[in-house]
C-alpha cells in the first residue's frame, strides 16, 4: 500500500488543471436537455477531444491517452474541481465505450470509438420497455434477421439523452421463440434511420432528458450487432457493470457536492436552528470520502488484474443514496427558499441545489433500481436463496 | 498510488485467520466465560508462536519491526472470532507507545523484549474510557494522569472488577499512585503520547468492529438459508435480503477508511486523528447496524443466550462505545471540517494537508 501519487501522476494532475483553466467555457453551459445546451455540450466534447482529454483511459489510437484507472480518477478530480460541464456523451464514453473495448470487433472499435470521443456521435441508451423495467429480461422489442439485415419493431422507453442524441444502443429479441435472458442481441441503431420515431418525455424539472423510441420496420445491417447473436444479455450485463460500477459516477462528483454543502452550511450557519443539519453535513463529507477511498481501492485492485462483478451494486446504492441525502440536507439549509426557481428574484445564491435535488431523486432508480441492487447483493454476494 | 495489501500481508493474514478460526470457536469462548481469568495460556502461546506479539516490536528489541498497517487485517480477524484475549491492547496500543520511548528509557526496552517473547501483557487506561480492560491478566499497566504517562506493575495498583454484559470483557476501575519513578513521560511529549494511545486504541477497535460485522452477517446469512417458514428458507424474503444487503453496504464502505487510517498512522501522522475517527465511526455504524438486522433475522432465537449471535453482538455494542463513541469521533471531524481553513474537495483525499 502506497497512498502517494507518483511524480508522473502529480505532473498529469497539473497538466489537466492547466488545460482546464485555459479551456473552460467562459459561461456555464445551458442544460444538455435543451436544444441549445445539447449543442454547447457537443462542442465542449470536441474541445476535450482536441486536448486529448475525451477519455483518458482509452488507447491512443481511439483518441485516448492509455492512462490507468488511478490517472482516470485524477482526471475526474480535476474535472469536477474545475466545475467543468457534465458529459453529454456519458452513455457513450462511460458505458458503450468500455463494452465496445470488451466485445467489439476491431472494425467496430475503429468505427465507433473515435467519433464517440470527439462528440460527433452522441449516444442514448435503449434498454427499458414499457413492459421491461426492473425485469429487463422481459424485453419484447424484436429484431428479425433477413440476410444481412435486422428489421426492428417495437418500443423502448426511458432512453436517456435520446431526445437529441445521434445513436442508441439497444437490446432486442433476435430469437422470436426465446424466453427471458436467451435469444437477445445487443444492436447499435442510428436515430435518424427510417422508421425511428423519438418522442421526448418531460422530466421533473420540465426538460426532456429522456424519450420513448418507436421502431417501425427499422433496418440496420448485421455488423451493427455487438457480440454474438443471442449473447445480448451478457454484453448488456457488462455494460450494466460499468454503469453501476466505477465509470458512471466518479467519487469526485460527490466530494465536490460535499464541499459545496459545507460552504452552503457556513454561509447559512447563523440561520440554522436544526442541530441535526450539522451532523448531516459532517456525515456527507465522511461518506463522500469513503466512496473516494473505496474507489481508489477498487481501481488499485483492477490495475493488478482483479475483476469487478456484483460488488458494483454496493457502489450504486452507496453513491445514489449519499447524493440524495446531501441534497436533502442542502434543501433543509435553504429552507423556504429551496423551492425557488433560479430566475425568481429572491433566488440569489441558491445555486443549482434545487435542480440537482430533483436529479438526485433519479439516482436510486436509474441504472437498476436500488431494490434490484439489494437483491443482487443478497443473492450473489451474500449467497441468500433466490426462492 | 496503490491501495492494496502486499502478497506477504495477505499470506500472513490467511494464516492468522486459519489459526483463529480453528482455535477461537464459539464453544471455546463459552468455556472461557466460566474460567476465572477468561484467558488461556495455551491460546496466548499460540498467538505468540504466530509472531503476533513480536510483529510491532522494533527489530532492535527482538521484534519483527512491522507497522500498524501490517497488523490491521489481523486485528479485523481478532474481531471476526470475538477473540477474548487482550492481544490488541498489548500489540497495537502499548507496543507502539513503548517503541517511541524505548531509545531513552531502559524500562521500555526491557518491556518490549518481553512483549516480543510473549512474556508480558500490558493493559492501557485512557480517559476516554475510564475503564481498563483485562488489567487482571496484565503484567504492567500504562496509566495516564493529566500530561503524564505512567507505567506500573499490576501489584502496584488496586483493581475493582466492573462486570460487563459481554462476559469476555473483563473490565476494571483502577486506583493507583504514580511517582516520578513510575512516570515515563510528561509535558508536550506526554500529551502527544496520550493522543497517540487514543488513536491506536480507536484504530484497533475499528478493525475489530469491522470483523465483527462481517462475522455476524455471515452467520445470519447461513441462518436465513437453514431456517424454513412457509415452506421455504426465510432468506428468500426480500425484506430480509434488503436488511442484510444494507449491512453489506455499510461494512464495505467502512473498509477503505479503516485501511487508510492504518496507513496514515505511520505514513502521515499529522492526518491520523481525522482518518482514525472516520474509520471508528464508519466501522461502529456498520457493526451496530449489522447487529440490529442480524438479531431481527434470527427472530426469537437471536434473543437467546443459546444462540451464538450475542457473543458478537455484545462485543459490537460495547466496542462501539469504547475508545471514543461515535459522538466523540464525529466531533473531532466536525471541529476540523467546520474550520473554514479545512482543505476539502475532490483533489484533497490524499493531499498532504495537516
Amino acid at each position: 500500500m502506497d497512498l502517494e501519487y507518483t511524480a508522473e501522476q502529480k505532473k498529469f494532475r497539473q497538466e489537466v488543471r492547466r488545460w482546464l483553466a485555459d479551456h473552460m467555457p467562459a459561461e456555464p453551459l445551458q442544460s444538455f436537455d435543451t436544444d441549445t445546451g445539447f449543442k454547447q455540450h457537443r462542442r465542449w466534447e470536441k474541445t476535450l477531444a482536441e486536448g486529448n482529454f475525451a477519455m483518458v483511459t482509452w488507447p491512443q489510437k481511439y483518441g485516448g491517452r492509455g492512462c490507468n484507472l488511478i490517472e482516470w480518477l485524477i482526471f475526474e478530480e480535476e474535472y469536477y474541481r474545475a466545475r467543468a460541464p457534465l458529459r453529454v456523451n456519458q452513455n457513450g464514453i462511460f458505458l458503450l465505450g468500455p463494452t465496445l473495448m470488451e466485445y467489439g470487433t476491431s472494425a467496430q472499435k475503429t468505427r465507433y470509438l473515435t467519433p464517440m470521443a470527439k462528440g460527433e456521435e452522441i449516444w442514448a441508451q435503449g434498454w427499458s420497455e414499457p413492459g421491461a423495467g426492473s425485469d429487463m429480461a422481459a424485453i419484447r422489442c424484436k429484431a428479425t434477421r433477413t440476410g444481412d439485415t435486422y428489421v426492428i419493431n417495437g418500443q423502448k422507453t426511458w432512453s436517456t439523452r435520446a431526445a437529441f442524441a445521434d445513436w442508441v444502443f439497444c437490446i432486442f429479441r433476435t430469437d422470436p421463440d426465446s424466453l427471458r435472458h436467451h435469444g437477445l442481441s445487443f444492436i447499435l441503431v442510428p436515430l435518424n434511420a427510417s422508421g425511428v420515431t423519438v418522442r421526448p418525455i418531460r422530466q421533473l424539472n420540465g426538460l426532456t432528458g429522456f424519450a420513448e423510441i418507436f421502431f417501425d420496420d427499422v433496418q440496420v445491417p448485421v455488423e451493427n450487432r455487438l457480440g454474438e447473436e443471442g449473447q445480448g444479455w451478457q454484453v448488456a450485463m457488462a455494460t450494466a457493470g460499468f454503469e453501476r460500477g466505477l465509470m458512471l459516477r466518479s467519487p469526485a462528483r460527490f466530494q465536490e457536492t460535499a464541499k459545496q454543502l459545507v460552504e452552503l452550511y457556513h454561509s447559512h450557519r447563523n440561520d440554522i436552528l436544526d442541530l441535526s443539519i450539522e451532523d448531516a453535513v459532517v456525515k456527507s463529507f465522511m461518506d463522500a470520502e469513503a466512496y473516494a477511498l473505496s474507489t481508489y481501492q477498487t481501481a488499485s485492485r483492477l490495475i493488478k488484474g482483479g475483476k469487478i462483478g456484483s460488488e458494483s451494486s454496493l457502489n450504486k446504492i452507496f453513491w445514489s443514496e449519499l447524493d440524495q441525502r446531501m441534497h436533502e440536507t442542502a434543501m433543509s439549509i435553504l429552507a423556504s427558499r429551496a423551492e425557488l426557481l433560479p430566475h425568481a428574484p429572491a433566488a440569489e445564491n441558491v445555486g443549482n441545489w434545487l435542480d440537482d435535488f430533483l436529479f438526485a431523486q433519479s439516482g436510486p432508480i436509474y441504472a437498476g433500481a436500488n431494490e434490484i441492487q439489494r437483491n443482487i447483493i443478497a443473492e450473489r454476494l451474500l449467497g441468500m436463496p433466490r426462492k | 498510488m496503490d491501495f492494496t495489501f502486499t502478497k506477504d500481508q495477505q499470506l500472513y493474514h490467511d494464516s492468522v485467520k486459519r489459526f483463529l478460526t480453528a482455535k477461537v470457536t464459539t464453544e471455546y469462548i463459552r468455556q472461557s466465560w466460566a474460567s476465572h481469568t477468561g484467558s488461556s495460556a495455551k491460546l496466548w502461546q499460540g498467538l505468540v508462536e504466530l509472531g503476533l506479539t513480536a510483529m510491532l516490536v522494533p527489530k532492535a528489541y527482538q521484534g519483527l519491526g512491522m507497522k500498524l498497517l501490517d497488523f490491521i487485517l489481523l486485528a479485523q480477524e481478532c474481531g471476526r472470532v470475538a477473540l477474548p484475549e487482550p492481544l490488541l491492547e498489548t500489540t497495537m496500543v502499548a507496543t507502539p507507545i513503548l517503541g517511541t520511548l524505548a531509545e531513552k528509557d531502559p524500562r521500555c526496552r526491557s518491556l518490549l523484549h518481553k512483549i516480543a517473547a510473549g512474556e508480558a501483557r500490558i493493559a492501557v487506561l485512557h480517559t476516554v474510557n475510564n475503564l481498563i480492560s483485562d488489567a487482571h491478566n496484565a503484567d504492567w499497566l500504562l496509566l495516564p494522569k493529566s500530561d503524564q504517562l505512567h507505567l506500573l506493575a499490576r501489584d502496584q495498583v488496586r483493581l475493582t472488577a466492573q462486570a460487563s454484559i459481554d462476559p469476555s470483557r473483563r473490565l476494571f476501575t483502577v486506583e493507583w499512585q504514580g511517582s516520578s519513578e513510575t512516570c515515563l513521560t510528561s509535558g508536550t511529549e506526554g500529551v502527544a503520547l496520550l493522543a497517540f494511545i487514543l488513536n491506536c486504541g480507536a484504530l484497533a477497535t475499528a478493525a475489530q468492529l469491522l470483523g465483527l460485522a462481517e462475522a455476524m452477517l455471515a452467520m445470519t446469512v447461513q441462518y436465513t438459508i437453514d431456517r424454513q417458514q412457509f415452506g421455504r428458507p426465510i432468506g428468500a424474503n426480500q425484506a430480509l435480503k434488503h436488511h442484510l444487503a444494507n449491512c453489506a453496504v455499510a461494512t464495505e464502505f467502512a473498509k477503505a477508511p479503516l485501511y487508510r487510517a492504518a496507513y496514515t498512522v505511520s505514513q502521515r501522522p499529522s492526518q491520523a486523528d481525522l482518518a482514525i475517527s472516520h474509520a471508528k465511526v464508519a466501522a461502529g455504524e456498520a457493526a451496530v447496524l449489522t447487529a440490529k438486522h442480524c438479531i431481527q433475522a434470527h427472530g426469537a432465537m437471536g434473543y437467546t443466550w443459546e444462540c451464538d449471535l450475542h457473543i458478537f453482538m455484545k462485543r459490537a455494542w460495547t466496542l462501539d462505545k469504547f475508545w471514543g463513541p461515535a459522538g466523540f469521533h464525529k466531533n473531532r471531524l466536525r471541529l476540523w471540517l467546520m474550520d473554514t481553513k479545512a482543505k476539502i474537495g475532490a483533489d484533497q483525499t490524499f493531499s498532504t494537508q495537516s
Side-chain angles (χ1 to χ4, degrees), chain B residues 197-256:
Chain B
I197 287 179
L198 170 65
N199 277 348
C200 292
L203 180 69
T205 308
Q208 291 175 85
L209 284 162
L210 198 46
L212 286 159
E214 289 178 320
M216 287 186 283
L217 189 52
M219 68 188 288
T220 305
V221 166
Q222 193 56 51
Y223 184 78
T224 70
I225 293 170
D226 297 339
R227 169 74 177 158
Q228 301 258 335
Q229 283 289 273
F230 303 103
R232 59 176 193 165
I234 60 169
N237 294 301
Q238 212 173 38
L240 286 186
K241 283 181 183 170
H242 289 194
H243 279 329
L244 299 190
N246 286 340
C247 302
V249 172
T251 305
E252 181 64 22
F253 287 92
K255 281 180 193 163

Side-chain angles (χ1 to χ4, degrees), chain A residues 52-313:
Chain A
N52 244 355
F53 284 114
M55 204 52 205
V56 295
T57 52
W58 289 7
Q60 287 177 346
K61 61 175 169 179
Y62 303 124
R65 290 175 175 243
C67 287
N68 71 20
L69 286 171
I70 299 295
E71 287 142 5
W72 176 70
L73 288 168
I74 293 170
F75 172 78
E76 291 284 291
E77 285 166 4
E78 290 304 314
Y79 194 85
Y80 281 99
R81 181 182 175 276
R83 316 259 149 107
L86 295 176
R87 305 297 300 269
V88 67
N89 209 9
Q90 61 184 8
N91 292 310
I93 55 177
F94 296 144
L95 306 183
L96 182 58
T99 316
L100 272 163
M101 301 279 183
E102 201 170 321
Y103 287 95
T105 62
S106 75
Q108 286 175 324
K109 290 180 199 171
T110 309
R111 163 65 190 84
Y112 295 109
L113 289 173
T114 310
M116 188 188 291
K118 289 181 178 167
E120 289 164 4
E121 291 176 352
I122 310 277
W123 287 82
Q125 183 177 0
W127 290 5
S128 294
E129 296 179 8
S134 287
D135 183 11
M136 214 175 79
I139 279 171
R140 288 172 56 193
C141 212
K142 275 192 200 122
T144 313
R145 184 158 174 178
T146 48
D148 289 338
T149 305
Y150 285 113
V151 180
I152 304 166
N153 280 288
Q155 182 192 350
K156 292 286 175 187
T157 192
W158 317 133
S159 288
T160 306
R161 299 288 93 71
F164 303 103
D166 308 296
W167 281 77
V168 61
F169 56 91
C170 300
I171 318 165
F172 298 116
R173 198 161 288 285
T174 39
D175 175 358
D177 301 323
S178 63
L179 287 172
R180 308 290 301 159
H181 315 79
H182 307 283
L184 301 168
S185 299
F186 197 107
I187 297 174
L188 315 176
V189 186
L191 283 168
N192 63 1
S194 160
V196 172
T197 309
V198 176
R199 197 154 73 196
I201 302 171
R202 278 183 95 191
Q203 301 183 326
L204 284 190
N205 65 1
L207 300 178
T208 51
F210 47 35
E212 295 175 291
I213 307 176
F214 297 89
F215 301 87
D216 190 9
D217 284 333
V218 176
Q219 298 194 18
V220 297
V222 207
E223 62 253 31
N224 283 23
R225 190 190 66 227
L226 189 52
E228 297 302 313
E229 190 168 277
Q231 201 195 3
W233 183 264
Q234 289 90 300
V235 182
M237 285 304 107
T239 311
F242 299 126
E243 186 172 15
R244 290 163 200 161
L246 221 47
M247 284 294 178
L248 181 64
R249 291 289 172 248
S250 57
R253 177 191 177 112
F254 306 107
Q255 291 181 291
E256 285 300 313
T257 305
K259 182 182 179 179
Q260 290 175 40
L261 188 60
V262 172
E263 289 163 0
L264 184 73
Y265 180 80
H266 279 310
S267 61
H268 289 72
R269 203 167 188 164
N270 297 329
D271 316 323
I272 296 171
L273 300 174
D274 180 350
L275 292 175
S276 72
I277 287 178
E278 188 171 77
D279 187 61
V281 172
V282 175
K283 190 79 173 73
S284 294
F285 167 76
M286 287 171 64
D287 287 347
E289 281 293 295
Y291 183 53
L293 292 167
S294 181
T295 306
Y296 268 91
Q297 203 182 16
T298 308
S300 300
R301 200 165 54 74
L302 294 178
I303 287 170
K304 288 193 165 174
K307 294 258 175 249
I308 184 167
S310 308
E311 303 96 314
S312 59
S313 293

Side-chain angles (χ1 to χ4, degrees), chain B residues 263-279:
Chain B
Y263 174 90
T264 305
V265 179
S266 33
Q267 303 302 117
R268 287 184 184 173
S270 67
Q271 293 168 30
D273 287 7
L274 300 177
I276 287 170
S277 282
H278 186 172

